[in-house]
Amino acid sequence: MDFSKIKSSLSQSSSVAIISHKSPDGDALGSSLALKHYLSAIGVEATICLPDSFPSFFNWLPESENVVIYDKNRDLATTIIKNSDIIFCLDFNSIKRIGDLGSF
């Protein structure tokens, strides 16, 4: 994999979304937040959109309060996904794992 091409694409994008699977666990939320923090460190703004809520015991994780939950805010999540130049899909192997979030 050529990471320089990914970095080049990221530098040219104005909107990046990060999505993960339904019933997000620590791996899903943690990898999404880690990617968001990395992207922020290189100057790329990204938004995490999850199909549904994660367990409240993860609320202490930095930036977890900014995760957009599709089940709670469908219009915002849909707008974020549709307007994204790049979408990172983390911690799932089938589009079925993201439920209605993958329907558009």
Side-chain angles (χ1 to χ4, degrees):
M1 180 173 285
D2 188 347
F3 288 105
S4 63
K5 288 182 183 179
I6 295 171
K7 283 184 110 174
S8 175
S9 294
L10 284 168
S11 69
Q12 298 172 25
S13 67
S14 61
S15 181
V16 174
I18 302 168
I19 63 173
S20 195
H21 61 76
K22 288 180 77 164
S23 302
D25 53 11
D27 290 346
L29 183 59
S31 61
S32 297
L33 289 168
L35 179 57
K36 179 177 174 40
H37 289 292
Y38 170 74
L39 292 173
S40 179
I42 63 169
V44 176
E45 289 301 316
T47 304
I48 300 170
C49 294
L50 298 177
D52 55 6
S53 296
F54 52 88
S56 62
F57 54 81
F58 290 125
N59 287 345
W60 64 271
L61 292 169
E63 293 287 329
S64 64
E65 69 277 5
N66 295 322
V67 173
V68 175
I69 306 298
Y70 178 75
D71 281 353
K72 293 181 179 179
N73 198 338
R74 291 175 183 252
D75 290 340
L76 178 58
T78 300
T79 299
I80 291 166
I81 300 294
K82 285 186 174 183
N83 292 328
S84 291
D85 297 321
I86 297 174
I87 300 172
F88 285 96
C89 300
L90 303 181
D91 199 45
F92 63 94
N93 61 356
S94 170
I95 198 75
K96 293 177 185 178
R97 298 279 319 272
I98 61 171
D100 291 342
L101 187 57
S103 64
F104 46 90

